Amino acid sequence: MTALHDLPAHDLLAAYRQRTLSPVEVTQAVLAHIERWEPHIRATYLLRPEMALAQARESEARWLRGEPKGALDGVPSTIKENIASEGDPTPLGTAAVELVPAAADAPPAARMREAGAVIVAKTTMPDYGMLSSGLSTFHPLSRNPWDTRKGPGGSSAGGGAAAAAGYGPLHIGTDIGGSLRLPASWCGIFSLKPSLGRIPIDPPYTGRAAGPMTRTVADAALMMQVLSQPDARDSMSLPYQDIAWSQFNKGGERLRGLRIGLLLDAGCGLPVEPEVKAAVERAAKLMEAAGATIVPMAPFMTQAMLDGMDHFWRMRSHIDLQALPAARRDKVLPYIRTWADSAAGMSGTEVFNASHQFHLTRVNTVKACSAFDYVISPVAPMPAFQAELPSPTNDPLRPLEHIGFTVPFNMSEQPAASVNCGYTTSGLPIGLQIAGARFDDLGVLQVAHAFELIREPQRAWPQPPAG
């Protein structure tokens, strides 16, 4: 029998409807499971059991009346801490930020509450979300449930760890260069970075998206139904579309007849490790056996593009840090300070040329993908790395060498998902990225679900250490 904390949202909602389970007993089970795991992986911020149980009791009463509040009523969930929740401080992962209670829920948090989700906790992130790890000057170090010596990835570090560890079925993260897909890959879960603007977010920023982090495509589709509702606060949001998210599994033989590009070389950054390449190639062969045409792709990113984006972000962060009082600036993670301050001598021309790489990345990505229905690739060149490291290179002047496969789809505004496609010999998960044309978010979910049905058997989810 599946433990309550491991049940997907769809099963929980069906049980609530049939009155075979209560949101209170499910929330109690999730909280007990978190208590066992949390000393080992430190995935949460503002874990408040009594507040979660109060929400669960309200949900239970609604279900008993036959009046559920929304599509997620009573389902345990978490939200990344940089998504504002009313009355709570938003530290952005760093000790340098003043802890001021948020005036209102940001759009994703508001949609979850409106749908009746039980917000069990918020989840951790690194300083300013600028690392692909759980290293933070504010939060304890977050770790990967599959191997606590490794990190969960970032910047949606706690969300990835929480989903893999079974802190309930639904989790929300954000992504500006891979921050949903990287932890999804390294924690063996599913995540969708939607088309830019599909999920309203506040504050909006170029390439920044919120998205679901779940164990299954089905639960991600359920979240998209809620999170994609309109919100005028996002000036970059798309016009609302009534997308049939429930049709995520209605693709039939979804892979048959598709022309899928296979990208095994990002064209920049670190080389793909052999075990990662082999897992993605096996996934491609499974898709081919299911009727897809797999076509090898040449790289379309360049090191100049990756470096340009890196240097522009350095300058943005340098300006932000220089605006802080010295005492607060000294609290920022030294790796981040070294990275940001390296931009101090950049000229206006250099900053402009760096910023132009965002546009070139967008143009190259769209052009390269236009010949295909979908593109598959590794999410990252390597599996999860040492938890204490800020990045795989541990070099603040080469900090983004692992995002060559993910960042182009932020700039092109295309939807891209991470779905588990295998494991290393040491048991670490490996993620397959599936990218689609702009606005084809449902199609990406359908292809990912089709792959779920044909992929190699999944290993049991990790369990908390005894004692």
Side-chain angles (χ1 to χ4, degrees):
M1 183 176 177
T2 304
L4 295 186
H5 60 261
D6 281 333
L7 287 173
H10 280 81
D11 288 1
L12 291 178
L13 292 165
Y16 297 162
R17 200 171 292 114
Q18 296 161 7
R19 299 189 182 182
T20 57
L21 282 178
S22 152
V24 173
E25 64 181 311
V26 171
T27 301
Q28 287 172 332
V30 168
L31 289 169
H33 188 66
I34 292 174
E35 187 176 5
R36 291 189 292 271
W37 252 128
E38 191 61 4
H40 306 284
I41 61 173
R42 308 304 293 266
T44 66
Y45 166 61
L46 299 181
L47 174 63
R48 296 172 290 199
E50 285 308 313
M51 290 182 67
L53 287 169
Q55 296 172 61
R57 286 189 285 270
E58 292 172 359
S59 174
E60 180 182 65
R62 290 192 294 268
W63 280 107
L64 288 173
R65 294 195 307 267
E67 299 173 354
K69 186 177 181 180
L72 306 179
D73 205 340
V75 180
S77 310
T78 73
I79 300 174
K80 188 176 178 180
E81 65 102 314
N82 67 341
I83 297 173
S85 50
E86 184 178 358
D88 296 326
T90 308
L92 304 179
T94 178
V97 166
E98 290 185 303
L99 299 181
V100 179
D105 286 336
R111 299 296 87 77
M112 295 294 281
R113 289 195 207 276
E114 292 163 3
V118 173
I119 309 302
V120 174
K122 300 192 77 174
T123 50
T124 61
M125 60 183 283
D127 280 51
Y128 295 106
M130 292 310 298
L131 299 176
S132 293
S133 79
L135 189 60
S136 164
T137 54
F138 181 83
H139 302 293
L141 178 63
S142 298
R143 296 178 179 273
N144 193 319
W146 291 92
D147 180 345
T148 56
R149 296 169 300 179
K150 308 295 184 182
S155 64
S156 303
Y167 287 21
L170 307 181
H171 310 269
I172 307 176
T174 61
D175 189 317
I176 199 172
S179 290
L180 282 163
R181 290 156 289 162
L182 292 165
S185 172
W186 292 330
C187 292
I189 64 168
F190 178 79
S191 186
L192 172 70
K193 180 208 74 67
S195 299
L196 185 72
R198 180 68 72 203
I199 293 176
I201 192 167
D202 183 35
Y205 187 81
T206 301
R208 184 171 184 248
M213 305 182 79
T214 60
R215 288 181 171 185
T216 66
V217 173
D219 279 356
L222 183 63
M223 291 183 76
M224 289 301 296
Q225 174 185 329
V226 169
L227 296 175
S228 62
Q229 296 297 311
D231 195 301
R233 287 176 288 175
D234 186 349
S235 58
M236 301 172 74
S237 63
L238 297 173
Y240 174 70
Q241 286 181 271
D242 187 14
I243 295 171
W245 299 108
S246 63
Q247 303 299 303
F248 74 92
N249 62 347
K250 296 296 193 292
E253 295 184 344
R254 189 64 176 85
L255 295 170
R256 187 167 302 280
L258 292 181
R259 179 179 168 86
I260 296 178
L262 173 60
L263 183 68
L264 293 173
D265 179 359
C268 58
L270 296 168
V272 177
E273 293 188 7
E275 286 188 296
V276 173
K277 182 180 179 183
V280 172
E281 288 176 329
R282 287 195 302 272
K285 288 178 180 176
L286 289 171
M287 289 182 165
E288 189 171 46
T293 299
I294 305 296
V295 182
M297 289 181 70
F300 52 84
M301 283 281 289
T302 66
Q303 192 66 41
M305 292 175 189
L306 185 62
D307 290 346
M309 290 186 280
D310 174 20
H311 292 159
F312 182 85
W313 282 330
R314 293 186 200 197
M315 179 57 79
R316 184 193 71 171
S317 294
H318 174 67
I319 292 169
D320 288 344
L321 296 188
Q322 288 303 113
L324 295 176
R328 284 170 53 199
R329 188 165 60 246
D330 288 343
K331 295 180 179 180
V332 176
L333 191 74
Y335 182 98
I336 294 290
R337 287 195 62 184
T338 300
W339 171 74
D341 290 347
S342 68
M346 288 178 68
S347 67
T349 299
E350 288 172 322
V351 173
F352 172 80
N353 288 337
S355 71
H356 187 53
Q357 300 306 312
F358 289 93
H359 178 68
L360 294 180
T361 298
R362 178 191 184 100
V363 170
N364 275 27
T365 305
V366 173
K367 181 179 179 181
C369 295
S370 64
F372 305 99
D373 297 304
Y374 298 93
V375 168
I376 60 173
S377 74
V379 173
M382 75 291 292
F385 56 94
Q386 186 178 333
E388 291 79 8
L389 296 182
S391 70
T393 60
N394 195 27
D395 182 350
L397 301 184
R398 294 178 61 235
L400 305 182
E401 299 294 292
H402 56 291
I403 69 169
F405 289 107
T406 52
V407 72
F409 299 110
N410 293 80
M411 299 310 123
S412 67
E413 306 184 15
Q414 295 170 242
S418 174
V419 60
N420 183 253
C421 68
Y423 305 86
T424 66
T425 52
S426 64
L428 294 174
I430 297 169
L432 173 75
Q433 181 169 247
I434 303 172
R438 191 179 177 206
F439 312 132
D440 188 22
D441 304 76
L442 179 58
V444 169
L445 289 180
Q446 290 175 333
V447 171
H449 177 67
F451 178 71
E452 276 185 324
L453 298 177
I454 62 172
R455 67 183 173 183
E456 298 171 358
Q458 298 295 282
R459 299 188 182 183
W461 292 102
Q463 296 301 314

